[in-house]
DNA sequence: GCCAACGTTGGC
DNA sequence: GCCAACGTTGGC
């Protein structure tokens, strides 16, 4: 089981909107970056990820899971772009901010800390556990 | 709102 | 296939 992190500007697509989609989930469309797409291609059904608010908040606010495997992105005709569907699992009671990640030496190698521009990122199992612990949430 | 970092594009 | 120019992202 791999772990992931999905980044979104809350103005565009927020955690609340994700939660409102319920168990059916929603396409994580709009990704136009090969690295991010390749990460989505590698995802398995039921794998978990963090939901991160960029720009406003700059914090991990929820946990999601993959509800559909990689498929063509419905927002473009360009066959290069694909995406998975994700659904909200549970909120993070104590949102974990970017500052907190930077401050914790155990998270020094996190992609979020080192390459904040990548919109779909892998998270190591160790990092996953640390953030769940800080966030007060069950992974 | 600025700007640094990064990825992509396109001319050669 | 290289690299300069450009566009976008996202932290500050």
């Amino acid at each position: 089981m791999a772990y992931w992190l999905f980044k979104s500007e809350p103005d565009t697509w927020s955690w609340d909107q994700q939660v409102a989609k319920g168990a059916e989930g929603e396409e994580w469309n709009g990704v136009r970056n090969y690295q991010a797409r390749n990460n989505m291609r590698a995802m398995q059904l039921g794998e978990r990820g963090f939901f991160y608010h960029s720009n406003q908040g700059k914090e991990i606010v929820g946990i999601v899971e993959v509800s559909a495997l990689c498929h063509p992105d419905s927002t473009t005709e360009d066959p290069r772009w694909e995406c998975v569907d994700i659904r909200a699992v549970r909120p993070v009671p104590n949102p974990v901010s970017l500052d907190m990640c930077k401050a914790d030496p155990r998270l020094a190698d996190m992609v979020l800390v080192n390459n904040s521009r990548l919109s779909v990122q892998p998270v190591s199992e160790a990092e996953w556990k640390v953030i769940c612990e800080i966030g007060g949430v069950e992974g």
Side-chain angles (χ1 to χ4, degrees):
Chain A
M1 281 286 264
Y3 297 99
W4 309 98
L5 183 145
F6 297 85
K7 240 182 12 186
S8 183
E9 294 189 41
D11 279 352
T12 308
W13 183 255
S14 70
W15 171 248
D16 287 344
Q17 287 172 287
Q18 185 68 50
V19 169
K21 279 287 170 180
E24 145 192 9
E26 175 75 1
E27 223 182 43
W28 196 256
N29 55 37
V31 172
R32 301 291 183 266
N33 170 285
Y34 291 106
Q35 249 184 296
R37 184 208 61 189
N38 290 344
N39 286 334
M40 289 197 284
R41 281 184 175 174
M43 290 178 189
Q44 302 295 314
L45 272 183
E47 282 186 342
R48 299 266 163 117
F50 292 124
F51 192 105
Y52 174 80
H53 277 165
S54 64
N55 278 321
Q56 285 157 59
K58 282 174 288 183
E59 57 190 7
I60 292 165
V61 293
I63 290 180
V64 294
E65 74 179 6
V66 177
S67 59
L69 292 174
C70 214
H71 57 81
D73 184 331
S74 69
T75 62
T76 177
E77 295 297 309
D78 192 329
R80 290 178 299 171
W81 305 122
E82 304 172 6
C83 61
V84 296
D85 292 8
I86 61 173
R87 64 167 160 255
V89 174
R90 62 175 71 89
V92 173
N94 312 310
V96 181
S97 69
L98 180 61
D99 284 346
M100 290 159 79
C101 292
K102 285 182 171 172
D104 194 313
R106 294 172 295 177
L107 301 175
D109 292 332
M110 254 194 103
V111 180
L112 188 66
V113 172
N114 295 297
N115 180 11
S116 60
R117 290 193 47 189
L118 184 60
S119 60
V120 180
Q121 314 177 354
V123 174
S124 76
E125 189 175 353
E127 290 159 356
W128 181 267
K129 286 178 176 165
V130 170
I131 289 167
C132 287
E133 175 201 312
I134 300 172
V137 68
E138 192 186 324

